Amino acid sequence: MNTPPLRGLHHVTAIAGDPQQNLDFYVGVMGMRLVKKSVNQDSPDTYHFFFADRDGTPGTGLTFFPWPGARPATPGAGKIVEVGLAVPRDSLSYWEARLRSHDVSVNPIEERFGREVLPFTDPDGMAAALVGIQEERSFAPWDDSPVPVEHQIRGLHSARILERSLKPTDTLLTRVMGFTRHGSDGEWHRYADSENSSGTIVELREVDERGSGNWGPGGIHHIAWRMQDDAEQEQLRSIVEKVGLRPSPQIDRFWFKSVYFREPGGALFELATDGPGYDRDEAPDKLGEKLILPPWMEERREQIEAALPDFVNPLQV
Ligand code: ZN
């Protein structure tokens, strides 16, 4: 099978509770830029927030659907249970102090696969980890961030998934998607590109659990993998279909194009094109300021806006 090259994570999408709390945390504490404020295209009475570096570089995006009042997520087999964010190795002590000063629930720094990691929990209970890296990542520093450029998040580092059985997902990753196995640390098995690069990593752990958990605030909805263009996406889509998984047709998300499928263990994967990008409908210096709707939803703007809760950007008050 002719598999396209593995380019790493494109974005990770999770579910939050209160939109204001979500924004205050990811912009005000984590120092990420709100690069797009939109709605859930499948349920336009809820927001869709996109946090990233200054430009929304593919591989830096953490996006949220805030579902205020929904029941919190519960982990289980087939659920994505942690997202790793890359920061410069020497910044971990800055981050530990910063998170503690904002009353974030932080675990002690630990070592995983030879790197120092600072695990923490976001205000909705989502497990995340800041991972100290030495290498340079392609990232656009954001001067208006409350976090100094030298400490800013460089992009997505990794995702962790619980699996009832390792083998089928191992086969998908290594035989279809171009991953290389990089051994294990404790109960976690690592897969990444051949260089084990930050941003290409997924880790699996086998769990002896019958339940598959539930989605809700604090839960990670899906992880998206970078596709250079439509042709590369179609190439992988057709291979995924041939091996018996059921990819969706290509869906136009306006800022990128998406194909979704469940990996054999049940976690939702997306293949997302790098382009056209978040500056397609807003000037680069205005990203995230307006509620942006894809053109086919514009005629319902008034109705959609009226149904959404108000919030303020912590940096614009
Ligand atoms: Zn997505």
Side-chain angles (χ1 to χ4, degrees), residues 47-94:
Y47 282 112
H48 192 182
F49 292 154
F50 297 71
F51 303 106
D53 70 356
R54 183 193 65 208
D55 299 340
T57 307
T60 68
L62 190 52
T63 95
F64 289 88
F65 297 124
W67 291 352
R71 286 162 59 124
T74 49
K79 288 284 179 293
I80 303 154
V81 293
E82 188 197 82
V83 58
L85 302 168
V87 296
R89 196 180 58 169
D90 295 337
S91 296
L92 280 181
S93 50
Y94 164 87

Side-chain angles (χ1 to χ4, degrees), residues 10-13 48 50 63 65 221-224 253 256 258 260 270 272:
H10 182 286
H11 64 270
V12 170
T13 293
H48 192 182
F50 297 71
T63 95
F65 297 124
H221 190 266
H222 63 265
I223 53 180
R253 295 304 189 195
F256 46 84
S258 302
Y260 300 86
E270 174 182 346

Side-chain angles (χ1 to χ4, degrees), residues 72-82 125 127 160-162 164 205 207 209-220:
T74 49
K79 288 284 179 293
I80 303 154
V81 293
E82 188 197 82
R160 288 188 146 183
I161 309 175
L162 300 180
R164 200 163 288 136
R205 177 159 75 89
V207 285
E209 256 179 66
R210 239 179 278 165
S212 55
N214 286 300
W215 276 338
I220 297 171

